[in-house]
Every structure is written in structure tokens, then in C-alpha cells.
Amino acid sequence: MSVEGNSRSGRRPGRSGTREAILDAARVRFAEVGFDRASIRSIATAASVDPALVHHYFGTKQELFTAALEIPIDPDVILARIAAAPLEELGETIIRTVVSVWDSPIGVQAVAAFRTLLSSADPALARAFLLEIVLKDVRVRVDSPPGTGTKRAVLAASQLAGLLVTRKIVPMEPIASMPVEELAAAVGPNIQRYLTGDLT
């Protein structure tokens, strides 16, 4: 094979550093245009690699996004449980599911990842993760009356953020040590109102 054939497009071979180059390009691209509009091809172009290498290292775009944010759990694990919940039980299900992750063996890593994400100099990645991954399906389910889905989802997210701070980041009793089921019963109805109740 000719030298020209070996360096046809100037793309990186699959060597050490390629994975990091893809992650760096992905973070920039996701921050610029959001999850939905960032394509694997555009990320590959920015990283000077073939799109097939992106799939080789990371699989799907969502898996790439999760890796770029260094979140130690597949969001699908959380999303599947929430998606299976009846609409009228979303509030308690979200609390039960999310807090169980925080309290699990990977909870320290997960909380650290979210703390880093939320304190990032560029909040676009945090917005993209929350609105385009975590809350996307919920936003669609609670869009009643039409046009209120995003507002409802963001209000629910604000409640979760406060709960994260008072349970894990700046622990405050009794929230810090409250059993998950008790917490779900206490806070779940508030989130449920944001999601399906009257907002006026």
C-alpha cells in the first residue's frame, strides 16, 4: 500500500490518545450545539478520526455523552425505571430511583461527577445532559397543557438539585440520613405537582 493510501485523509489511527481526542471534541461539540444536534460525524471530524472509531470506542452517541461527562452510570438504568412508572407515580419514582443511585456504591463517583458538571465554566453541558437526556422523555410525558413540558421538567429538576445538595454535598439532617422510602413519600408529591399539577 502506498504512503498516500496510508495517510489519505490525515485522520488519526486508533492509537493512544485517540480516545481522549474524541472525548475532548465531544465535550466541545455537545456544549456548542447540544446533544440532539451534535452528530457522531461532526465529533469525529473535530477529533480528526473516522466516525467508525467513535463507535468503536464509545458505541452510541448517548454512551459517548455519558463518557464525556465522566458519569459512572449509564443513564438508561435510571431512565428505564422512570419510564416504566405510571404518570401519577412519577414524583415518588424519580426520588426513589435517583436517591438510590446516590446512596449506592457508585454514589460517591456519581455525586462527584454531577458536582463537577454543575460547577463547570460552561453550563451548556449540564443543561444538555438534564434537558436532552435525563428529562427528555419525562418532558414529553408531562406536556399538558401543550407547551408546559419543559417548564414542568425544569421545576422538578430544581427540586432534585436542592435535594442533592442537602443530602450529599452539604449534608443537612434529617434529609442526609432519611431512608429512601421516607424521602420519596415526603418530597415525591412536590415533584409530582410540578410534573402533573396546576402551575398557576
Side-chain angles (χ1 to χ4, degrees):
M1 184 180 289
S2 67
V3 173
E4 180 182 358
N6 281 328
S7 58
R8 181 172 49 202
S9 63
R11 296 189 183 277
R12 300 170 188 264
R15 63 176 185 270
S16 177
T18 299
R19 189 177 189 278
E20 290 70 24
I22 294 170
L23 288 173
D24 288 342
R27 291 184 188 104
V28 171
R29 190 65 180 156
F30 286 134
E32 287 177 343
V33 301
F35 176 81
D36 285 341
R37 293 175 58 195
S39 67
I40 291 291
R41 181 171 296 279
S42 68
I43 292 168
T45 298
S48 297
V49 302
D50 190 280
L53 267 183
V54 180
H55 290 294
H56 169 74
Y57 280 111
F58 300 102
T60 66
K61 186 169 72 167
Q62 182 163 312
E63 288 171 325
L64 171 60
F65 193 51
T66 301
L69 299 181
E70 299 180 340
I71 296 173
I73 185 172
D74 184 350
D76 282 340
V77 174
I78 296 175
L79 299 180
R81 295 175 190 169
I82 295 173
L87 187 61
E88 66 276 9
E89 296 177 13
L90 269 180
E92 290 195 21
T93 301
I94 288 172
I95 294 295
R96 192 177 295 113
T97 302
V98 172
V99 174
S100 293
V101 171
W102 295 344
D103 291 351
S104 72
I106 64 167
V108 173
Q109 294 172 271
V111 171
F114 280 112
R115 182 190 288 117
T116 300
L117 179 62
L118 294 172
S119 64
S120 169
D122 188 344
L125 283 175
R127 283 197 301 270
F129 180 72
L130 289 173
L131 292 178
E132 299 178 33
I133 300 292
V134 176
L135 297 174
K136 184 175 182 178
D137 291 341
V138 169
R139 195 177 67 205
V140 173
R141 289 183 69 186
V142 301
D143 191 32
S144 178
T148 63
T150 296
K151 180 179 182 180
R152 290 179 179 281
V154 171
L155 285 169
S158 72
Q159 184 82 52
L160 281 174
L163 190 59
L164 172 61
V165 170
T166 53
R167 188 170 178 86
K168 293 296 182 180
I169 297 177
V170 185
M172 297 178 65
E173 294 296 348
I175 292 175
S177 60
M178 193 177 290
V180 173
E181 288 301 323
E182 185 178 346
L183 201 59
V187 182
N190 292 339
I191 291 185
Q192 189 69 42
R193 184 181 71 81
Y194 286 143
L195 295 177
T196 60
D198 186 0
L199 297 180
T200 58

mmCIF file of all heavy atoms in Angstrom, residues 81-121:
data_model
loop_
_atom_site.group_PDB
_atom_site.id
_atom_site.type_symbol
_atom_site.label_atom_id
_atom_site.label_comp_id
_atom_site.label_asym_id
_atom_site.label_seq_id
_atom_site.Cartn_x
_atom_site.Cartn_y
_atom_site.Cartn_z
ATOM 1 N N ARG A 81 -36.315 2.867 34.586
ATOM 2 C CA ARG A 81 -37.179 2.751 35.763
ATOM 3 C C ARG A 81 -38.219 3.867 35.797
ATOM 4 O O ARG A 81 -39.386 3.644 36.143
ATOM 5 C CB ARG A 81 -36.322 2.804 37.035
ATOM 6 C CG ARG A 81 -35.368 1.631 37.191
ATOM 7 C CD ARG A 81 -34.484 1.814 38.395
ATOM 8 N NE ARG A 81 -33.409 0.824 38.442
ATOM 9 C CZ ARG A 81 -32.379 0.884 39.277
ATOM 10 N NH1 ARG A 81 -32.295 1.887 40.137
ATOM 11 N NH2 ARG A 81 -31.443 -0.039 39.253
ATOM 12 N N ILE A 82 -37.793 5.062 35.433
ATOM 13 C CA ILE A 82 -38.717 6.195 35.442
ATOM 14 C C ILE A 82 -39.756 6.042 34.332
ATOM 15 O O ILE A 82 -40.940 6.316 34.523
ATOM 16 C CB ILE A 82 -37.938 7.513 35.300
ATOM 17 C CG1 ILE A 82 -37.050 7.723 36.534
ATOM 18 C CG2 ILE A 82 -38.885 8.688 35.100
ATOM 19 C CD1 ILE A 82 -36.116 8.906 36.438
ATOM 20 N N ALA A 83 -39.319 5.560 33.164
ATOM 21 C CA ALA A 83 -40.230 5.386 32.030
ATOM 22 C C ALA A 83 -41.313 4.358 32.345
ATOM 23 O O ALA A 83 -42.429 4.442 31.831
ATOM 24 C CB ALA A 83 -39.454 4.976 30.793
ATOM 25 N N ALA A 84 -40.978 3.374 33.178
ATOM 26 C CA ALA A 84 -41.936 2.311 33.495
ATOM 27 C C ALA A 84 -42.972 2.737 34.532
ATOM 28 O O ALA A 84 -43.971 2.047 34.728
ATOM 29 C CB ALA A 84 -41.186 1.081 34.010
ATOM 30 N N ALA A 85 -42.758 3.883 35.170
ATOM 31 C CA ALA A 85 -43.669 4.321 36.225
ATOM 32 C C ALA A 85 -44.937 4.936 35.643
ATOM 33 O O ALA A 85 -44.881 5.675 34.662
ATOM 34 C CB ALA A 85 -42.972 5.342 37.122
ATOM 35 N N PRO A 86 -46.090 4.660 36.239
ATOM 36 C CA PRO A 86 -47.321 5.339 35.820
ATOM 37 C C PRO A 86 -47.171 6.847 36.020
ATOM 38 O O PRO A 86 -46.437 7.291 36.910
ATOM 39 C CB PRO A 86 -48.387 4.758 36.761
ATOM 40 C CG PRO A 86 -47.806 3.477 37.273
ATOM 41 C CD PRO A 86 -46.327 3.690 37.330
ATOM 42 N N LEU A 87 -47.856 7.606 35.212
ATOM 43 C CA LEU A 87 -47.735 9.064 35.263
ATOM 44 C C LEU A 87 -47.998 9.613 36.659
ATOM 45 O O LEU A 87 -47.291 10.511 37.138
ATOM 46 C CB LEU A 87 -48.708 9.699 34.253
ATOM 47 C CG LEU A 87 -48.596 11.218 34.054
ATOM 48 C CD1 LEU A 87 -47.221 11.595 33.531
ATOM 49 C CD2 LEU A 87 -49.691 11.692 33.103
ATOM 50 N N GLU A 88 -48.986 9.052 37.335
ATOM 51 C CA GLU A 88 -49.363 9.560 38.649
ATOM 52 C C GLU A 88 -48.369 9.171 39.750
ATOM 53 O O GLU A 88 -48.486 9.631 40.889
ATOM 54 C CB GLU A 88 -50.762 9.086 39.031
ATOM 55 C CG GLU A 88 -50.925 7.594 39.252
ATOM 56 C CD GLU A 88 -51.167 6.804 37.961
ATOM 57 O OE1 GLU A 88 -51.036 7.404 36.867
ATOM 58 O OE2 GLU A 88 -51.494 5.609 38.065
ATOM 59 N N GLU A 89 -47.388 8.336 39.424
ATOM 60 C CA GLU A 89 -46.385 7.923 40.408
ATOM 61 C C GLU A 89 -44.985 8.414 40.056
ATOM 62 O O GLU A 89 -43.998 8.002 40.661
ATOM 63 C CB GLU A 89 -46.376 6.393 40.524
ATOM 64 C CG GLU A 89 -47.674 5.812 41.050
ATOM 65 C CD GLU A 89 -47.664 4.290 41.081
ATOM 66 O OE1 GLU A 89 -46.563 3.700 40.932
ATOM 67 O OE2 GLU A 89 -48.742 3.685 41.232
ATOM 68 N N LEU A 90 -44.886 9.327 39.096
ATOM 69 C CA LEU A 90 -43.584 9.789 38.628
ATOM 70 C C LEU A 90 -42.765 10.442 39.740
ATOM 71 O O LEU A 90 -41.565 10.201 39.861
ATOM 72 C CB LEU A 90 -43.752 10.782 37.477
ATOM 73 C CG LEU A 90 -43.761 10.225 36.059
ATOM 74 C CD1 LEU A 90 -43.944 11.362 35.061
ATOM 75 C CD2 LEU A 90 -42.490 9.456 35.774
ATOM 76 N N GLY A 91 -43.405 11.292 40.540
ATOM 77 C CA GLY A 91 -42.673 12.030 41.567
ATOM 78 C C GLY A 91 -41.926 11.126 42.521
ATOM 79 O O GLY A 91 -40.701 11.251 42.697
ATOM 80 N N GLU A 92 -42.637 10.194 43.131
ATOM 81 C CA GLU A 92 -42.000 9.293 44.091
ATOM 82 C C GLU A 92 -41.012 8.358 43.401
ATOM 83 O O GLU A 92 -39.964 8.023 43.963
ATOM 84 C CB GLU A 92 -43.055 8.494 44.857
ATOM 85 C CG GLU A 92 -43.855 9.342 45.829
ATOM 86 C CD GLU A 92 -44.627 8.511 46.839
ATOM 87 O OE1 GLU A 92 -44.256 7.334 47.054
ATOM 88 O OE2 GLU A 92 -45.595 9.040 47.423
ATOM 89 N N THR A 93 -41.326 7.934 42.179
ATOM 90 C CA THR A 93 -40.424 7.039 41.455
ATOM 91 C C THR A 93 -39.104 7.729 41.157
ATOM 92 O O THR A 93 -38.020 7.127 41.282
ATOM 93 C CB THR A 93 -41.066 6.564 40.143
ATOM 94 O OG1 THR A 93 -42.279 5.877 40.433
ATOM 95 C CG2 THR A 93 -40.126 5.644 39.377
ATOM 96 N N ILE A 94 -39.159 8.991 40.742
ATOM 97 C CA ILE A 94 -37.935 9.734 40.444
ATOM 98 C C ILE A 94 -37.076 9.862 41.701
ATOM 99 O O ILE A 94 -35.864 9.604 41.664
ATOM 100 C CB ILE A 94 -38.277 11.128 39.866
ATOM 101 C CG1 ILE A 94 -38.816 10.975 38.441
ATOM 102 C CG2 ILE A 94 -37.044 12.032 39.878
ATOM 103 C CD1 ILE A 94 -39.354 12.253 37.840
ATOM 104 N N ILE A 95 -37.679 10.231 42.817
ATOM 105 C CA ILE A 95 -36.917 10.354 44.064
ATOM 106 C C ILE A 95 -36.319 9.013 44.464
ATOM 107 O O ILE A 95 -35.128 8.902 44.777
ATOM 108 C CB ILE A 95 -37.817 10.877 45.207
ATOM 109 C CG1 ILE A 95 -38.270 12.305 44.918
ATOM 110 C CG2 ILE A 95 -37.076 10.807 46.547
ATOM 111 C CD1 ILE A 95 -37.162 13.310 44.894
ATOM 112 N N ARG A 96 -37.144 7.980 44.449
ATOM 113 C CA ARG A 96 -36.689 6.651 44.855
ATOM 114 C C ARG A 96 -35.521 6.179 43.978
ATOM 115 O O ARG A 96 -34.523 5.644 44.479
ATOM 116 C CB ARG A 96 -37.864 5.669 44.763
ATOM 117 C CG ARG A 96 -37.615 4.326 45.413
ATOM 118 C CD ARG A 96 -38.864 3.454 45.323
ATOM 119 N NE ARG A 96 -39.976 4.012 46.095
ATOM 120 C CZ ARG A 96 -41.094 4.488 45.551
ATOM 121 N NH1 ARG A 96 -41.276 4.487 44.241
ATOM 122 N NH2 ARG A 96 -42.050 4.971 46.324
ATOM 123 N N THR A 97 -35.637 6.381 42.679
ATOM 124 C CA THR A 97 -34.623 5.902 41.741
ATOM 125 C C THR A 97 -33.331 6.692 41.846
ATOM 126 O O THR A 97 -32.238 6.120 41.960
ATOM 127 C CB THR A 97 -35.151 5.991 40.296
ATOM 128 O OG1 THR A 97 -36.349 5.221 40.185
ATOM 129 C CG2 THR A 97 -34.132 5.470 39.309
ATOM 130 N N VAL A 98 -33.437 8.004 41.829
ATOM 131 C CA VAL A 98 -32.244 8.849 41.834
ATOM 132 C C VAL A 98 -31.505 8.766 43.164
ATOM 133 O O VAL A 98 -30.277 8.624 43.200
ATOM 134 C CB VAL A 98 -32.630 10.306 41.504
ATOM 135 C CG1 VAL A 98 -31.434 11.236 41.704
ATOM 136 C CG2 VAL A 98 -33.144 10.416 40.077
ATOM 137 N N VAL A 99 -32.230 8.827 44.268
ATOM 138 C CA VAL A 99 -31.577 8.774 45.578
ATOM 139 C C VAL A 99 -30.939 7.405 45.804
ATOM 140 O O VAL A 99 -29.873 7.305 46.424
ATOM 141 C CB VAL A 99 -32.574 9.124 46.702
ATOM 142 C CG1 VAL A 99 -31.931 8.924 48.077
ATOM 143 C CG2 VAL A 99 -33.036 10.568 46.552
ATOM 144 N N SER A 100 -31.548 6.359 45.298
ATOM 145 C CA SER A 100 -30.955 5.024 45.420
ATOM 146 C C SER A 100 -29.605 4.964 44.714
ATOM 147 O O SER A 100 -28.675 4.295 45.191
ATOM 148 C CB SER A 100 -31.899 3.961 44.849
ATOM 149 O OG SER A 100 -33.064 3.852 45.643
ATOM 150 N N VAL A 101 -29.477 5.654 43.594
ATOM 151 C CA VAL A 101 -28.183 5.721 42.905
ATOM 152 C C VAL A 101 -27.176 6.492 43.751
ATOM 153 O O VAL A 101 -26.035 6.067 43.936
ATOM 154 C CB VAL A 101 -28.333 6.373 41.515
ATOM 155 C CG1 VAL A 101 -26.962 6.655 40.893
ATOM 156 C CG2 VAL A 101 -29.133 5.469 40.590
ATOM 157 N N TRP A 102 -27.595 7.648 44.289
ATOM 158 C CA TRP A 102 -26.692 8.433 45.129
ATOM 159 C C TRP A 102 -26.202 7.622 46.327
ATOM 160 O O TRP A 102 -25.051 7.775 46.748
ATOM 161 C CB TRP A 102 -27.397 9.677 45.666
ATOM 162 C CG TRP A 102 -27.799 10.674 44.633
ATOM 163 C CD1 TRP A 102 -27.359 10.756 43.347
ATOM 164 C CD2 TRP A 102 -28.741 11.748 44.803
ATOM 165 N NE1 TRP A 102 -27.969 11.812 42.699
ATOM 166 C CE2 TRP A 102 -28.818 12.435 43.571
ATOM 167 C CE3 TRP A 102 -29.522 12.181 45.866
ATOM 168 C CZ2 TRP A 102 -29.647 13.535 43.382
ATOM 169 C CZ3 TRP A 102 -30.343 13.278 45.685
ATOM 170 C CH2 TRP A 102 -30.401 13.957 44.456
ATOM 171 N N ASP A 103 -27.068 6.774 46.867
ATOM 172 C CA ASP A 103 -26.727 6.017 48.067
ATOM 173 C C ASP A 103 -26.034 4.685 47.762
ATOM 174 O O ASP A 103 -25.648 3.965 48.676
ATOM 175 C CB ASP A 103 -27.992 5.726 48.878
ATOM 176 C CG ASP A 103 -28.579 6.982 49.502
ATOM 177 O OD1 ASP A 103 -27.923 8.044 49.456
ATOM 178 O OD2 ASP A 103 -29.717 6.907 50.023
ATOM 179 N N SER A 104 -25.878 4.352 46.486
ATOM 180 C CA SER A 104 -25.285 3.072 46.087
ATOM 181 C C SER A 104 -23.753 3.138 46.160
ATOM 182 O O SER A 104 -23.183 4.212 46.403
ATOM 183 C CB SER A 104 -25.714 2.742 44.656
ATOM 184 O OG SER A 104 -25.044 3.591 43.735
ATOM 185 N N PRO A 105 -23.073 1.998 45.943
ATOM 186 C CA PRO A 105 -21.605 2.000 45.984
ATOM 187 C C PRO A 105 -20.951 2.978 45.008
ATOM 188 O O PRO A 105 -19.838 3.449 45.266
ATOM 189 C CB PRO A 105 -21.247 0.545 45.625
ATOM 190 C CG PRO A 105 -22.417 -0.239 46.129
ATOM 191 C CD PRO A 105 -23.615 0.624 45.847
ATOM 192 N N ILE A 106 -21.628 3.293 43.896
ATOM 193 C CA ILE A 106 -21.039 4.251 42.965
ATOM 194 C C ILE A 106 -21.513 5.677 43.241
ATOM 195 O O ILE A 106 -21.215 6.603 42.479
ATOM 196 C CB ILE A 106 -21.373 3.893 41.501
ATOM 197 C CG1 ILE A 106 -22.887 3.995 41.253
ATOM 198 C CG2 ILE A 106 -20.834 2.541 41.131
ATOM 199 C CD1 ILE A 106 -23.244 3.965 39.794
ATOM 200 N N GLY A 107 -22.236 5.843 44.335
ATOM 201 C CA GLY A 107 -22.809 7.144 44.638
ATOM 202 C C GLY A 107 -21.787 8.255 44.772
ATOM 203 O O GLY A 107 -22.003 9.376 44.307
ATOM 204 N N VAL A 108 -20.649 7.959 45.409
ATOM 205 C CA VAL A 108 -19.616 8.986 45.595
ATOM 206 C C VAL A 108 -19.128 9.489 44.246
ATOM 207 O O VAL A 108 -18.999 10.696 44.026
ATOM 208 C CB VAL A 108 -18.438 8.437 46.429
ATOM 209 C CG1 VAL A 108 -17.302 9.452 46.460
ATOM 210 C CG2 VAL A 108 -18.902 8.112 47.845
ATOM 211 N N GLN A 109 -18.869 8.555 43.324
ATOM 212 C CA GLN A 109 -18.421 8.941 41.980
ATOM 213 C C GLN A 109 -19.503 9.717 41.240
ATOM 214 O O GLN A 109 -19.216 10.698 40.552
ATOM 215 C CB GLN A 109 -18.056 7.697 41.174
ATOM 216 C CG GLN A 109 -16.855 6.931 41.685
ATOM 217 C CD GLN A 109 -16.720 5.618 40.932
ATOM 218 O OE1 GLN A 109 -17.289 4.603 41.333
ATOM 219 N NE2 GLN A 109 -15.998 5.643 39.836
ATOM 220 N N ALA A 110 -20.741 9.251 41.360
ATOM 221 C CA ALA A 110 -21.840 9.906 40.655
ATOM 222 C C ALA A 110 -22.038 11.332 41.154
ATOM 223 O O ALA A 110 -22.193 12.263 40.365
ATOM 224 C CB ALA A 110 -23.126 9.097 40.827
ATOM 225 N N VAL A 111 -22.023 11.513 42.480
ATOM 226 C CA VAL A 111 -22.198 12.849 43.048
ATOM 227 C C VAL A 111 -21.038 13.752 42.648
ATOM 228 O O VAL A 111 -21.227 14.921 42.305
ATOM 229 C CB VAL A 111 -22.340 12.776 44.579
ATOM 230 C CG1 VAL A 111 -22.310 14.167 45.196
ATOM 231 C CG2 VAL A 111 -23.640 12.067 44.954
ATOM 232 N N ALA A 112 -19.821 13.196 42.655
ATOM 233 C CA ALA A 112 -18.654 13.985 42.252
ATOM 234 C C ALA A 112 -18.776 14.424 40.799
ATOM 235 O O ALA A 112 -18.441 15.563 40.445
ATOM 236 C CB ALA A 112 -17.377 13.175 42.457
ATOM 237 N N ALA A 113 -19.263 13.533 39.945
ATOM 238 C CA ALA A 113 -19.423 13.866 38.532
ATOM 239 C C ALA A 113 -20.450 14.970 38.344
ATOM 240 O O ALA A 113 -20.228 15.914 37.569
ATOM 241 C CB ALA A 113 -19.829 12.616 37.745
ATOM 242 N N PHE A 114 -21.562 14.878 39.060
ATOM 243 C CA PHE A 114 -22.585 15.911 38.941
ATOM 244 C C PHE A 114 -22.107 17.239 39.526
ATOM 245 O O PHE A 114 -22.419 18.304 38.996
ATOM 246 C CB PHE A 114 -23.879 15.461 39.615
ATOM 247 C CG PHE A 114 -24.688 14.528 38.783
ATOM 248 C CD1 PHE A 114 -24.851 13.194 39.151
ATOM 249 C CD2 PHE A 114 -25.284 14.955 37.601
ATOM 250 C CE1 PHE A 114 -25.580 12.320 38.372
ATOM 251 C CE2 PHE A 114 -26.022 14.082 36.820
ATOM 252 C CZ PHE A 114 -26.174 12.759 37.199
ATOM 253 N N ARG A 115 -21.329 17.170 40.614
ATOM 254 C CA ARG A 115 -20.800 18.404 41.191
ATOM 255 C C ARG A 115 -19.882 19.105 40.186
ATOM 256 O O ARG A 115 -19.967 20.322 39.980
ATOM 257 C CB ARG A 115 -20.023 18.102 42.474
ATOM 258 C CG ARG A 115 -19.480 19.357 43.144
ATOM 259 C CD ARG A 115 -18.503 19.028 44.270
ATOM 260 N NE ARG A 115 -19.173 18.487 45.435
ATOM 261 C CZ ARG A 115 -18.975 17.263 45.908
ATOM 262 N NH1 ARG A 115 -18.159 16.435 45.285
ATOM 263 N NH2 ARG A 115 -19.602 16.849 46.987
ATOM 264 N N THR A 116 -19.029 18.331 39.539
ATOM 265 C CA THR A 116 -18.134 18.891 38.524
ATOM 266 C C THR A 116 -18.915 19.457 37.357
ATOM 267 O O THR A 116 -18.617 20.542 36.845
ATOM 268 C CB THR A 116 -17.168 17.802 38.014
ATOM 269 O OG1 THR A 116 -16.385 17.319 39.122
ATOM 270 C CG2 THR A 116 -16.235 18.357 36.949
ATOM 271 N N LEU A 117 -19.928 18.712 36.937
ATOM 272 C CA LEU A 117 -20.752 19.142 35.804
ATOM 273 C C LEU A 117 -21.453 20.456 36.102
ATOM 274 O O LEU A 117 -21.447 21.391 35.302
ATOM 275 C CB LEU A 117 -21.781 18.051 35.497
ATOM 276 C CG LEU A 117 -22.759 18.302 34.350
ATOM 277 C CD1 LEU A 117 -22.011 18.455 33.036
ATOM 278 C CD2 LEU A 117 -23.759 17.159 34.259
ATOM 279 N N LEU A 118 -22.039 20.564 37.286
ATOM 280 C CA LEU A 118 -22.805 21.753 37.635
ATOM 281 C C LEU A 118 -21.929 22.969 37.898
ATOM 282 O O LEU A 118 -22.371 24.105 37.739
ATOM 283 C CB LEU A 118 -23.684 21.465 38.859
ATOM 284 C CG LEU A 118 -24.790 20.433 38.628
ATOM 285 C CD1 LEU A 118 -25.475 20.089 39.943
ATOM 286 C CD2 LEU A 118 -25.815 20.947 37.626
ATOM 287 N N SER A 119 -20.667 22.722 38.303
ATOM 288 C CA SER A 119 -19.765 23.840 38.575
ATOM 289 C C SER A 119 -18.871 24.172 37.387
ATOM 290 O O SER A 119 -17.974 25.007 37.485
ATOM 291 C CB SER A 119 -18.884 23.515 39.792
ATOM 292 O OG SER A 119 -18.044 22.404 39.511
ATOM 293 N N SER A 120 -19.123 23.526 36.259
ATOM 294 C CA SER A 120 -18.311 23.755 35.069
ATOM 295 C C SER A 120 -18.402 25.206 34.621
ATOM 296 O O SER A 120 -19.415 25.884 34.795
ATOM 297 C CB SER A 120 -18.793 22.843 33.934
ATOM 298 O OG SER A 120 -18.198 23.220 32.718
ATOM 299 N N ALA A 121 -17.310 25.687 34.016
ATOM 300 C CA ALA A 121 -17.291 27.056 33.497
ATOM 301 C C ALA A 121 -18.291 27.222 32.362
ATOM 302 O O ALA A 121 -18.743 28.324 32.080
ATOM 303 C CB ALA A 121 -15.880 27.413 33.016
#
